[in-house]
Amino acid sequence: MCGIYCRVGVGSCSGNCSNLYNDANLKHRGPNSSQHLFKCNLPDGYCCYFSGHVLHLRGSLTPQPLQDKKGNVFLWNGEVFGGIEVSSNDNDSEIMFQHLTSCDEDHNILSVFSRVQGPWAFIYFQANNHSLWFGRDFFGRRSLLWEFSQDLTKCLSLSSVAECTPGSDWQEVPSSGVFKCDLYSCAKLKSVALTLYPWTTSPEFILKEEMLEQEQSQILNSFPKLKSVVISESKNLHTPVSPLNTKIPEEDAKLHSSSSKIQITVDNLRMLVTNEHKKNAQAFINVLNKSVQRRVLCLHRESNFVPEDEKKANVAVLFSGGIDSMILAVLADNHIPPEEPIDLLNVSFMQKTPNPTKLKKYMIGTSMLTPNMDIAASRSPFDVPDRITGQSGLKELKALRPLRTWNFVEINVTLEELKEMRNVSISHLVQPLGTVLDDSIGCAVWFASRGRGLLNINEKMTPYISTAKVVLTGIGADEQLAGYSRHRVRFDNLGYKGLLEELAMELNRISSRNLGRDDRVIGDHGKEARFPYLDEDVVTFLNTLPVWEKADLTLPRGIGEKFILRVAALELGLMSSCVLPKRAMQFGCRIAKMENSTEKASDKCSRLLPGLQD
């Protein structure tokens, strides 16, 4: 992973672009190497400043930006997990640069990015035709922001993280395709000229074609200072996943979704599972297992000569004890060397007055309530729902995979620390997003991925800081498998057609709603977010299944949503976590209850504005 940055100036460029940017936040993302490069082409009237900050994860440490003898320059913030061959000893930045510099035509460059499987954001200066290429992968799993200015010395800026400067107007680069900027034309026009090469989609990809005109209009409207924006009709950038299966059963069961009285138990879930369900779940396990394998093995590890009791964790899981994170933990155990610990990062925000009734409810649901337990006496201000389910999940993992060292890291956050770190770091990282939901999720993920908490060692709570550079997150499971309450509402009102439309919309907007933000807040700790549920092969597999094989919303909450995932959990040997209902992170960790519980998630959040902290 890297922090990447480029600034383009046209006209009378003075050559001092490097003085215009404070790259401290980029260095957090790439602590192992920092390097800068200035390209000035005054005869053609433009200057470019490039800055790269590298987190070393695979192959040999390769400083960025990369430059070849022809003057081409490359910045890469991504991981190649498939599509282009990268051996275990290779660095994917070098491999990608080699592929790009061998391309003479635009369609060849687009073909390279069509083949890459994995998350990416990139900036590529093609010297021979004065072109600056940039973009994000189809899902937008890596952050890339842009800012346009009437100041010709910085008419276009690109960065992994926004600058903290008054009056700045950074926005996320849409993951709608790959962009090309003709720098020679920019110098002549004294403004930015862009071409967008959009992802090609199949007509069967529900909503994608219908939304294309609206999406393109939104892109055009985001360029108020531009004189030239062209959306290419090229069909050379191919969508990396298959179309969504839009088949609807003959009898749409929307009217029966609220009538089920099935008790939510593991035994009842098991009774509902047919051989066909098991077959699909096993196929799902196979493809997800390979996705996890790619993400836990593609990183540099310590020497084999390090004593086993001194081995440190290289991989962590954002862990609530819910089904998404439990399955990731089990599958990670399949591939991580057995002597290496796995960190389970569990975040909790302090409650003023824990509710004993609710606490008892959660403990009963996770089988943690023991006879004669005094709930009032044992409660802690950090006994939030995700802490309780996390502890229950830890017990399951220890029983199922007893040879692994599972580091359950209790990350406890007070209101004072939340306010301090939001003001110092988090509000800046969440930008340009700014809703109450962005604040809640951004803060929760930042504290969780920092990995600074307490570890139970020999029945003593001991301070612990996670050493993992890779953080697995379960995002993508709810979006594809109808895990949110809005999916059930759509199903109740419009049946399978409404549910399919909602699921299609989820993947279309996941880049702008979640992934760039999560990449920025996790990357701030010099760690890389990896998203196994959004692997191209996983998404393709799920897209091929009919919707009722993935989720059965005629069944009650805790069974019907993410049904295929619950069956997969049973097949893997999990128990109580199989029937835990979906609980949004902001409510599970209780950050949503910490400051202003009357706010709506979509409200603009004033707390994200620096200087407005209480």
Side-chain angles (χ1 to χ4, degrees):
M1 187 197 74
C2 300
I4 61 178
Y5 177 85
C6 172
R7 173 163 281 167
V8 177
V10 301
S12 56
C13 186
S14 62
N16 65 344
C17 290
S18 60
N19 298 326
L20 299 175
Y21 182 59
N22 180 358
D23 56 8
N25 287 287
L26 288 175
K27 288 181 179 178
H28 292 170
R29 295 177 60 87
N32 300 126
S33 170
S34 294
Q35 191 166 277
H36 315 281
L37 178 65
F38 186 70
K39 299 284 289 186
C40 189
N41 197 328
L42 289 179
D44 297 298
Y46 65 85
C47 299
C48 298
Y49 169 71
F50 301 93
S51 179
H53 308 267
V54 177
L55 173 68
H56 180 214
L57 288 174
R58 61 195 298 189
S60 58
L61 176 60
T62 304
Q64 295 192 40
L66 295 165
Q67 182 178 207
D68 67 5
K69 295 178 180 179
K70 297 179 182 179
N72 300 309
V73 178
F74 185 51
L75 289 164
W76 172 251
N77 176 27
E79 296 288 349
V80 177
F81 292 133
I84 290 178
E85 185 176 353
V86 181
S87 74
S88 58
N89 296 320
D90 287 334
N91 180 274
D92 59 343
S93 302
E94 291 181 326
I95 298 297
M96 286 296 298
F97 193 36
Q98 291 169 12
H99 278 276
L100 291 174
T101 55
S102 68
C103 298
D104 296 324
E105 304 292 336
D106 290 1
H107 68 86
N108 298 130
I109 290 177
L110 298 173
S111 177
V112 170
F113 286 104
S114 296
R115 288 155 50 197
V116 177
Q117 293 184 353
W120 49 264
F122 80 98
I123 302 169
Y124 173 52
F125 172 67
Q126 193 177 24
N128 67 337
N129 60 6
H130 312 284
S131 296
L132 188 73
W133 295 79
F134 59 92
R136 303 165 68 196
D137 71 79
F138 183 73
F139 298 118
R141 289 165 288 187
R142 289 289 173 262
S143 172
L144 189 64
L145 310 178
W146 59 14
E147 184 181 43
F148 303 98
S149 174
Q150 292 178 332
D151 180 350
L152 295 182
T153 65
K154 51 177 182 177
C155 60
L156 170 62
S157 300
L158 300 164
S159 181
S160 299
V161 183
E163 294 181 68
C164 292
T165 54
S168 61
D169 187 25
W170 290 89
Q171 299 297 325
E172 291 188 326
V173 174
S175 60
S176 308
V178 168
F179 292 85
K180 177 184 177 182
C181 179
D182 185 336
L183 297 177
Y184 188 77
S185 296
C186 289
K188 295 295 183 183
L189 295 170
K190 298 296 187 292
S191 66
V192 178
L194 289 180
T195 300
L196 167 63
Y197 296 90
W199 295 101
T200 60
T201 56
S202 165
E204 294 86 4
F205 205 105
I206 187 170
L207 288 189
K208 194 68 175 182
E209 293 296 329
E210 298 174 27
M211 296 176 66
L212 188 56
E213 291 185 7
Q214 177 184 351
E215 185 177 85
Q216 292 177 353
S217 175
Q218 291 173 347
I219 293 170
L220 294 177
N221 291 336
S222 69
F223 306 144
K225 301 181 180 70
L226 298 185
K227 288 185 178 179
S228 175
V229 185
V230 176
I231 297 180
S232 173
E233 295 183 358
S234 165
K235 301 294 183 182
N236 293 308
L237 186 64
H238 302 295
T239 304
V241 296
S242 68
L244 183 65
N245 185 328
T246 60
K247 185 177 180 182
I248 295 175
E250 293 182 5
E251 181 182 354
D252 197 327
K254 66 177 183 178
L255 298 178
H256 307 292
S257 62
S258 300
S259 62
S260 178
K261 301 297 183 182
I262 298 173
Q263 190 175 359
I264 315 303
T265 65
V266 176
D267 287 339
N268 284 343
L269 172 62
R270 191 175 282 113
M271 289 175 59
L272 293 168
V273 176
T274 67
N275 288 334
E276 185 67 18
H277 292 145
K278 290 183 179 181
K279 178 182 175 182
N280 288 334
Q282 193 57 58
F284 181 36
I285 290 171
N286 292 340
V287 70
L288 184 59
N289 185 50
K290 291 178 181 177
S291 169
V292 172
Q293 180 184 33
R294 287 189 280 266
R295 285 159 176 80
V296 301
L297 294 185
C298 287
L299 69 155
H300 178 75
R301 283 184 152 81
E302 294 177 330
S303 166
N304 291 329
F305 297 105
V306 175
E308 286 193 18
D309 59 351
E310 296 181 15
K311 288 282 186 180
K312 297 180 179 179
N314 290 301
V315 176
V317 182
L318 292 186
F319 190 76
S320 66
I323 189 170
D324 306 346
S325 58
M326 286 290 289
I327 285 181
L328 292 184
V330 170
L331 296 182
D333 177 71
N334 289 344
H335 307 291
I336 293 174
E339 69 279 2
E340 186 179 301
I342 296 177
D343 286 348
L344 306 175
L345 307 178
N346 182 273
V347 66
S348 168
F349 290 81
M350 179 183 282
Q351 301 175 87
K352 294 179 181 178
T353 53
N355 187 317
T357 302
K358 289 187 177 181
L359 182 61
K360 182 176 181 180
K361 173 186 173 184
Y362 287 118
M363 296 183 78
I364 292 174
T366 57
S367 303
M368 292 192 66
L369 187 66
T370 58
N372 303 318
M373 178 181 285
D374 185 346
I375 295 292
S378 63
R379 71 188 185 187
S380 157
F382 297 106
D383 278 338
V384 301
D386 279 1
R387 175 61 47 81
I388 295 166
T389 55
Q391 290 169 339
S392 176
L394 174 65
K395 288 184 177 180
E396 275 201 65
L397 291 175
K398 285 183 173 180
L400 189 63
R401 304 292 174 94
L403 300 181
R404 174 71 61 185
T405 298
W406 299 101
N407 290 333
F408 184 76
V409 188
E410 297 189 15
I411 299 161
N412 300 328
V413 185
T414 64
L415 179 59
E416 292 72 24
E417 187 178 19
L418 170 62
K419 289 181 176 181
E420 177 188 0
M421 299 316 300
R422 181 196 281 125
N423 198 41
V424 171
S425 296
I426 303 170
S427 62
H428 169 66
L429 297 166
V430 171
Q431 289 182 25
L433 305 186
T435 68
V436 170
L437 182 63
D438 292 317
D439 172 54
S440 296
I441 300 297
C443 290
V445 172
W446 189 89
F447 279 105
S449 57
R450 185 175 65 166
R452 185 180 300 172
L454 299 172
L455 191 64
N456 190 333
I457 301 177
N458 298 323
E459 302 304 319
K460 181 181 179 181
M461 300 307 292
T462 305
Y464 178 82
I465 300 177
S466 173
T467 57
K469 286 187 176 182
V470 166
V471 178
L472 301 181
T473 166
I475 193 167
D478 290 305
E479 287 80 0
Q480 296 179 81
L481 302 175
Y484 294 118
S485 58
R486 59 180 175 267
H487 295 128
R488 195 171 287 272
V489 171
R490 289 280 283 179
F491 180 76
D492 287 346
N493 293 332
L494 296 171
Y496 282 110
K497 182 178 184 298
L499 177 59
L500 281 166
E501 290 175 350
E502 192 72 21
L503 292 176
M505 189 183 299
E506 294 285 2
L507 284 184
N508 285 335
R509 67 186 182 183
I510 195 171
S511 63
S512 60
R513 285 173 64 93
N514 302 98
L515 295 175
R517 177 200 65 211
D518 289 358
D519 177 66
R520 290 190 293 277
V521 297
I522 293 174
D524 190 55
H525 304 299
K527 301 180 181 185
E528 181 172 275
R530 293 185 175 177
F531 310 99
Y533 290 106
L534 290 172
D535 180 272
E536 287 81 356
D537 291 342
V538 172
V539 177
T540 289
F541 171 78
L542 292 175
N543 276 358
T544 61
L545 292 177
V547 64
W548 63 88
E549 294 288 353
K550 297 181 285 188
D552 185 352
L553 300 189
T554 66
L555 297 173
R557 186 169 172 266
I559 291 183
E561 75 278 16
K562 299 189 285 192
F563 184 75
I564 190 173
L565 198 62
R566 298 183 189 281
V567 179
L570 284 177
E571 293 293 291
L572 289 170
L574 293 172
M575 295 296 290
S576 62
S577 57
C578 296
V579 292
L580 285 177
K582 165 65 184 178
R583 186 171 54 240
M585 184 180 193
Q586 66 271 26
F587 300 117
C589 70
R590 281 299 188 256
I591 187 173
K593 301 290 186 181
M594 207 167 191
E595 291 169 289
N596 186 350
S597 60
T598 64
E599 296 171 315
K600 294 181 180 179
S602 59
D603 289 347
K604 198 70 177 175
C605 184
S606 62
R607 295 185 297 278
L608 289 174
L609 301 175
L612 293 183
Q613 299 295 308
D614 294 333

